[in-house]
Amino acid sequence: MNYALRIMIYFVSLHPLKVYKMKIFGVGMNYIEHNKELDGALYKPEEPVIFTKADSALLKDHKPFFIPDWCEQVDYEAELVVRICRLGKGIPVRFAHRYYDAVTVGIDFTARDLQRKARQQGHPWTICKGFDGSAVIGEWESVQQSVQREGGISFHLDINGTTVQQGWTGDMLYSVDELIAYISRFFTLKTGDLLFTGTPVGVGPVSIGDHLEGWLEGKKVLDFNCR
């Protein structure tokens, strides 16, 4: 081994490359009508229902979603997705709006038959929520503070040209700021982390050939096919 190569290996051993893998957080049961849709009752969880997805779940740039063959039913769940823009831990609700800078529409794909089984048995949702390709995101739009504080953000999902879900952040049981404050009690949030904020009523299964389009405040930000 030559001298230059030995020196390079020595310095790499002193300063190993740090590869940061984003964290993807999901929120369950955050719209009351969706809770009725799943469980037959209008209710608000005592605390936010938080789960995570693997970084390999991320699907973007209009790439197709391949429906897995290891489950019987995969449901779409259209959601507002928030992008974290700074490091934070133990963030107060009143400062949470400073920690995200962009939003988009995403799909939290769920292996519904596996989720039903997991809920019945009290098991984690890791497989039914975090599998490869299950976290689809569209194009990012910057967030204005006036929108965050004074109003809400509307979004909807079309499948094959028909609107199947419509959401407005004002209907969330836990707001974006409350979710960020809650999650940051347990996890250090880092730039690039993603937060799927929960889905409104109207979820349902996807099939091969379906064309999904997500709209944010009237602008199409999401467009892909199922295969």
Side-chain angles (χ1 to χ4, degrees), residues 20-26 50-59 81 129 134-137 183 192-196:
Y20 170 62
K21 295 183 179 181
M22 73 168 65
K23 298 187 291 298
I24 304 175
F25 297 99
I50 305 299
F51 58 90
T52 60
K53 289 175 175 278
D55 60 344
S56 60
L58 187 65
L59 186 66
V81 184
K129 285 284 193 179
S134 62
V136 188
I137 59 171
I183 293 171
D193 286 346
L194 304 181
L195 172 59
F196 283 67

Side-chain angles (χ1 to χ4, degrees), residues 128-144:
C128 63
K129 285 284 193 179
F131 60 90
D132 288 355
S134 62
V136 188
I137 59 171
E139 299 167 4
W140 294 107
E141 293 290 317
S142 64
V143 177
Q144 302 296 326

